[in-house]
Amino acid sequence: FHPSRSMRLNNKTNTASAKGSDLRVHYKNCREVCRTIKGMKLSKANQYLGDVVAHKRCVPFRRHKRGVGRTSQCKEWGVTEGRWPEKSVKYVKDLLRNAASNAEL
């Protein structure tokens, strides 16, 4: 995804950051995955992404949803369109792991 569109960290005491560039993954899928886990705690986000890979929960597609099929797993998010982008989830999980290792304990 676009590293130039980074978020400014206001409270650097309890936040960590990681950046990926030139990733071989669809930007639109990564946007939807990152939008879904935004604001989650690290353990909850990792559990959610693991459920997505196991097809227990889906990633709701809100913006880039043309041609995306409907699934009943999206009811928890209040939308009807969703997918299970496994490759994007794998890259985002790697970025989360990198951010966790960059954090100061």
Side-chain angles (χ1 to χ4, degrees), residues 10-88:
N10 294 332
N11 189 1
K12 293 188 178 188
T13 59
N14 61 358
T15 56
S17 64
K19 180 175 80 169
S21 60
D22 297 327
L23 301 177
R24 297 290 300 163
V25 67
H26 292 287
Y27 163 74
K28 294 179 179 181
N29 289 348
C30 277
R31 186 257 177 210
E32 301 294 346
V33 171
C34 292
R35 173 66 178 92
T36 305
I37 65 169
K38 182 180 177 183
M40 289 186 185
K41 299 283 185 186
L42 183 63
S43 59
K44 187 176 177 184
N46 279 327
Q47 180 184 6
Y48 170 73
L49 294 175
D51 288 345
V52 169
V53 171
H55 287 244
K56 294 179 183 176
R57 297 169 78 185
C58 73
V59 174
F61 275 59
R62 292 184 170 96
R63 180 173 295 169
H64 306 291
K65 62 182 184 175
R66 179 175 285 175
V68 176
R70 294 181 288 192
T71 179
S72 63
Q73 289 182 358
C74 283
K75 288 181 183 176
E76 70 174 300
W77 304 104
V79 296
T80 57
E81 296 89 2
R83 281 186 175 164
W84 302 268
E86 295 180 9
K87 188 174 178 183
S88 300

